């Protein structure tokens, strides 16, 4: 009679813990935690400093026309309106430039254009503001006059026309120029990561280069394009100096793009008003910063939701 040997269970192998691994793990955990701590500290500061202003009136703070919400409402509109206009102009241009660099341009030209795009992303915003007020605004003012005269029936081009060209549309053009390099750089890297097998398969089936891009590159890069666009939108929402220099503000809420009656943005209003603010007026400006913080956070959260849904949909297919 033979007996089978007993099967012994072996413990799973564990990697040796070295001091360097422990130090690196702790440093990485500390760095990741500091992001949350910093975000929480900023949020707590804004909330605490904003509480006295949320229910203030004109009797409490001279900067308020009536109450806080009537003050911040036009600023929120101007911020979102200018950023949305900039994104409408910047996203198609950025995708086109990134696609040209990654799939159409010769290698040497693509490298040169890539360097130029990266260089534009590093230009300070005050330089774009000087360009907008000194070059762009005088150049587009005759175009604005022609649009008001010939297309004034359309609400966006309703008159009267601005005599300086420093309108919300000019500010949006400057913002579009500023965010285009950022969106282009990210889209370019996403396009270059498209699997070669997908592109070669599309070409082998007889597709033209554009059909290959439409069937292979764009579906693969869709979530990346959304992420790049939201990153550019976040930059446009928080831009300060360029908008403050270019935009001629009169207050109020209007969708007209070419008139001298322009809404202001939150960031530009804080930059222009904070040096002369005192007392509760400072809290009012900080409260508008809290509103901008919430808007930016909501935009980023929406972008993360869209990207995650895209990934889940792609994985399901």
């Amino acid at each position: 009679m033979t007996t089978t040997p007993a099967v012994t269970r072996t413990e799973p192998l564990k990697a040796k813990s070295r001091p360097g691994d422990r130090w690196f793990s702790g440093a990485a955990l500390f760095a990741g935690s500091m992001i949350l701590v910093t975000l929480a500290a900023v949020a707590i500061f804004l909330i605490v400093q904003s509480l006295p202003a949320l229910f203030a009136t004109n009797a409490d703070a001279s900067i308020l026309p009536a109450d806080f919400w009537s003050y911040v409402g036009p600023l929120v509109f101007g911020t979102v309106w200018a950023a949305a206009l900039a994104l409408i102009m910047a996203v198609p241009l950025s995708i086109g430039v990134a696609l040209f660099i990654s799939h159409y341009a010769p290698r040497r030209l693509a490298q040169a254009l890539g360097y130029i795009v990266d260089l534009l992303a590093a230009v300070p915003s005050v330089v774009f503001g000087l360009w907008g007020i000194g070059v762009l605004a005088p150049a587009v003012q005759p175009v604005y006059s022609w649009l008001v005269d010939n297309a004034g029936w359309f609400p966006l081009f309703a008159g009267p026309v601005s005599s300086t060209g420093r309108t919300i549309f000019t500010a949006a053009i400057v913002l579009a120029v500023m965010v285009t390099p950022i969106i282009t750089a990210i889209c370019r890297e996403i396009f270059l990561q498209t699997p070669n097998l997908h592109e070669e398969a599309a070409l082998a089936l007889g597709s033209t280069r554009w059909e290959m891009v439409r069937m292979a590159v764009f579906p693969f890069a869709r979530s990346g394009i959304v992420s790049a666009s939201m990153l550019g939108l976040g930059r446009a929402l928080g831009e300060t100096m360029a908008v403050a220099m270019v935009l001629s503000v009169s207050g109020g809420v209007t969708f007209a793009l070419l008139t001298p009656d322009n809404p202001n943005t939150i960031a530009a209003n804080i930059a222009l008003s904070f040096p002369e603010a005192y007392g509760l007026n400072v809290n009012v400006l900080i409260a508008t910063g809290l509103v901008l913080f919430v808007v930016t956070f909501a935009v980023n959260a929406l972008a993360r939701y869209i990207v995650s849904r895209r990934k889940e949909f792609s994985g399901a297919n």
Side-chain angles (χ1 to χ4, degrees):
M1 182 176 180
T2 59
T3 59
T4 57
V7 178
T8 59
R9 293 184 177 179
T10 59
E11 295 294 331
L13 296 177
K14 295 183 179 179
K16 292 183 178 179
S17 178
R18 296 183 175 88
D21 295 333
R22 292 193 296 269
W23 278 100
F24 181 78
S25 176
L29 178 62
F30 174 77
S33 301
M34 285 303 299
I35 296 177
L36 299 178
V37 171
T38 303
L39 183 64
V42 172
I44 292 172
F45 167 77
L46 291 175
I47 292 173
V48 171
Q49 294 294 323
S50 300
L51 287 177
L54 295 180
F55 304 100
T57 62
N58 179 260
D60 304 315
S62 59
I63 197 174
L64 297 177
D67 56 11
F68 172 76
W69 302 107
S70 62
Y71 175 74
V72 76
L75 296 176
V76 173
F77 168 80
T79 302
V80 176
W81 183 227
L85 290 172
L87 208 65
I88 291 173
M89 292 182 283
V91 170
L93 178 62
S94 300
I95 294 175
V97 174
L99 193 61
F100 178 75
I101 293 175
S102 60
H103 285 79
Y104 286 88
R107 179 171 299 180
R108 291 185 178 180
L109 178 59
Q111 290 179 349
L113 290 177
Y115 294 147
I116 292 174
V117 168
D118 296 337
L119 180 62
L120 286 175
V123 175
S125 59
V126 66
V127 176
F128 286 106
L130 291 173
W131 170 76
I133 194 174
V135 178
L136 181 63
V140 297
Q141 199 281 329
V143 180
Y144 291 170
S145 299
W146 184 89
L147 286 173
V148 171
D149 293 338
N150 295 273
W153 52 269
F154 191 61
L156 294 180
F157 301 143
V161 66
S162 171
S163 60
T164 62
R166 297 171 58 188
T167 68
I168 190 70
F169 191 57
T170 305
I173 295 174
V174 174
L175 289 177
V177 174
M178 294 179 63
V179 303
T180 292
I182 300 174
I183 303 176
T184 300
I186 298 175
C187 289
R188 178 193 63 199
E189 297 302 322
I190 296 296
F191 291 162
L192 290 174
Q193 294 177 10
T194 305
N196 290 332
L197 290 177
H198 293 184
E199 298 180 357
E200 293 172 357
L203 294 174
L205 292 174
S207 301
T208 63
R209 183 174 297 187
W210 165 244
E211 291 173 337
M212 178 272 293
V213 168
R214 185 166 52 87
M215 293 187 298
V217 178
F218 283 166
F220 175 81
R222 188 177 293 117
S223 61
I225 293 174
V226 174
S227 300
S229 301
M230 292 301 103
L231 184 62
L233 179 60
R235 170 72 186 276
L237 288 172
E239 181 52 44
T240 302
M241 289 309 301
V243 176
M245 296 172 66
V246 173
L247 190 60
S248 178
V249 179
S250 62
V253 175
T254 177
F255 285 95
L257 302 177
L258 313 178
T259 68
D261 300 326
N262 299 298
N264 202 356
T265 64
I266 294 177
N269 180 70
I270 293 175
L272 294 175
S273 303
F274 202 86
E276 300 178 357
Y278 60 91
L280 194 59
N281 292 333
V282 176
N283 299 94
V284 170
L285 294 177
I286 295 176
T288 61
L290 174 63
V291 174
L292 180 60
F293 180 84
V294 172
V295 171
T296 306
F297 185 83
V299 168
N300 291 331
L302 177 62
R304 295 292 301 175
Y305 174 76
I306 294 174
V307 171
S308 62
R309 287 296 300 271
R310 293 287 187 184
K311 289 182 179 179
E312 292 177 2
F313 180 78
S314 300
N317 290 340

